[in-house]
């Protein structure tokens, strides 16, 4: 969710309970992930939203996913 220009993700289940701050791009990716889309679909949305190339979009998505996995926010 967005509050005062800051994006926050809240996880109430699993091994991690709490909040993390997200930058705008990470928030966009996390929101897109909720729609159960593929990396390719999220990359297309990211390219359209931020006018970046697909390789950069995929790198950003992989970085966000890896960070969310590290903190236990998402599981396979």
């Amino acid at each position: 969710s967005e509050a005062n220009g800051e994006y926050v993700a809240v996880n109430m289940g699993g091994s991690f309970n709490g909040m993390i701050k997200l930058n705008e791009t990470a928030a966009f990716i996390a929101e897109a992930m909720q729609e159960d889309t593929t990396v390719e679909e999220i990359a297309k949305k990211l390219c359209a939203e931020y006018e970046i190339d697909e390789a950069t979009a995929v790198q950003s998505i992989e970085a966000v996913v890896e960070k969310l996995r590290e903190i236990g926010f998402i599981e396979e």
Side-chain angles (χ1 to χ4, degrees):
S1 66
E2 179 183 8
N4 298 324
E6 289 187 353
Y7 294 84
V8 177
V10 179
N11 180 11
M12 302 305 272
S15 60
F16 175 82
N17 290 324
M19 297 188 309
I20 57 169
K21 282 187 175 182
L22 303 173
N23 67 25
E24 186 176 343
T25 305
F28 184 91
I29 292 167
E31 188 172 314
M33 288 171 58
Q34 292 178 17
E35 297 173 9
D36 200 30
T37 58
T38 65
V39 170
E40 291 79 17
E41 290 171 331
I42 295 170
K44 287 179 186 176
K45 290 179 182 179
L46 200 59
C47 289
E49 182 73 18
Y50 294 100
E51 299 180 6
I52 58 174
D53 62 79
E54 190 168 343
T56 301
V58 169
Q59 286 179 329
S60 296
I61 294 163
E62 290 173 349
V64 169
V65 168
E66 181 60 31
K67 190 60 164 173
L68 292 174
R69 280 190 186 123
E70 283 177 14
I71 62 172
F73 198 80
I74 59 174
E75 297 177 1
E76 287 298 315

